[in-house]
Amino acid sequence: MVCDEVSQKKSLLERLLEPKKKTGPSKFKKNHPALYKVISELAASGNKLLKFTFSAATLGVMDSFGPEKYINFTQAANYLSEVFPARFNEYLPILTENGLYQTLLFTCDLVLAAWSLHDNRWRRKRNLLNLPMAIPHSIIMDYMSAAIQDGNPDPLPLKVAYFGWRIKTFSHTIWGGIAQWVDEPSRFIPGAIQGYDLLIYVSAAYIATQLAIGLVKHQYMRAQRKE
């Protein structure tokens, strides 16, 4: 009786430790390969979009609480101003409190955008195209921050306090002209600024580029199979 129990436990342990056998492609994938590929791509894109928007919204929530109230960015900026020459601030504005905070904030957008859109199936160069999407990521973050501070899911028209700081922060840097353009009224979204228009421009360019790359790759693979 004891031997039977031991053998049963041993058998159960072996089944648990036994690696799962690889199953072949599903019947649906075999019968409808093109449709299966489309559905798979849509699912992958949906997952990326979810991570992209969620990470941007989360960063926006953090920004709305004003981290500069709890972290001494002034002391950090003063330390950096002792390390780097004043002229350095013209190119990378990290020698002032707000400049340092905004630079770190956009760096977070850059990292999160690259992470959320990264695709293991793509080559490194193609994944590098995800980096410009830091701009739409920062815009979603900015909108979320404004919505929370305003206590309204639709903070449009934006208050000057939410965007007027840009010109003051970047006026003495090479980004001054861009800051002024960003703060001008939007051409597409009433009550927004032109910086929000970049969400449309960059996203459209990104989607078109990725679709073009995917189409060229598909045609190449199709030609290879025929040969």
Side-chain angles (χ1 to χ4, degrees):
M1 193 74 175
V2 177
C3 292
D4 290 341
E5 290 180 1
V6 172
S7 61
Q8 286 178 1
K9 289 180 180 180
K10 185 178 179 182
S11 178
L12 176 61
L13 184 62
E14 287 175 349
R15 288 199 302 271
L16 290 173
L17 296 177
E18 185 181 0
K20 292 183 179 180
K21 295 180 180 179
K22 292 183 180 180
T23 57
S26 65
K27 189 175 180 181
F28 178 77
K29 184 178 180 180
K30 285 182 178 180
N31 296 336
H32 309 282
L35 183 58
Y36 178 86
K37 185 174 180 60
V38 170
I39 294 174
S40 298
E41 288 296 331
L42 288 174
S45 298
N47 183 49
K48 292 178 187 178
L49 180 61
L50 183 64
K51 291 196 296 184
F52 186 85
T53 52
F54 180 77
S55 61
T58 302
L59 195 59
V61 172
M62 294 172 62
D63 179 63
S64 68
F65 290 121
E68 64 273 15
K69 298 175 184 176
Y70 311 101
I71 302 175
N72 196 337
F73 286 99
T74 302
Q75 186 176 356
N78 290 338
Y79 171 76
L80 290 172
S81 63
E82 295 176 1
V83 177
F84 297 99
R87 188 173 178 79
F88 185 83
N89 203 57
E90 296 179 16
Y91 305 97
L92 188 62
I94 60 173
L95 306 186
T96 61
E97 177 186 2
N98 197 39
L100 176 60
Y101 172 65
Q102 296 302 328
T103 300
L104 290 175
L105 196 61
F106 187 75
T107 302
C108 290
D109 283 305
L110 189 69
V111 172
L112 289 172
W115 164 77
S116 60
L117 298 174
H118 181 80
D119 197 317
N120 292 327
R121 301 169 300 173
W122 296 353
R123 294 187 177 184
R124 184 179 299 177
K125 289 182 180 179
R126 187 174 181 183
N127 272 308
L128 285 175
L129 295 174
N130 296 332
L131 295 180
M133 287 298 287
I135 296 173
H137 194 279
S138 66
I139 294 166
I140 296 172
M141 178 274 297
D142 190 75
Y143 183 88
M144 177 61 71
S145 179
I148 293 175
Q149 292 179 68
D150 206 47
N152 185 353
D154 182 16
L156 302 178
L158 291 172
K159 296 177 182 177
V160 178
Y162 295 153
F163 62 88
W165 54 266
R166 286 190 179 90
I167 295 176
K168 182 180 178 181
T169 301
F170 299 106
S171 60
H172 301 295
T173 71
I174 60 173
W175 314 106
I178 297 175
Q180 288 183 344
W181 181 88
V182 166
D183 278 5
E184 290 179 6
S186 169
R187 298 181 180 181
F188 305 108
I189 311 170
I193 55 177
Q194 280 197 136
Y196 281 31
D197 293 349
L198 286 172
L199 176 67
I200 301 172
Y201 300 145
V202 178
S203 297
Y206 175 80
I207 292 171
T209 303
Q210 293 293 0
L211 285 175
I213 292 173
L215 183 61
V216 170
K217 185 178 178 181
H218 174 72
Q219 294 296 336
Y220 175 77
M221 295 296 290
R222 192 175 178 182
Q224 288 287 92
R225 286 195 295 269
K226 285 184 178 180
E227 292 178 0

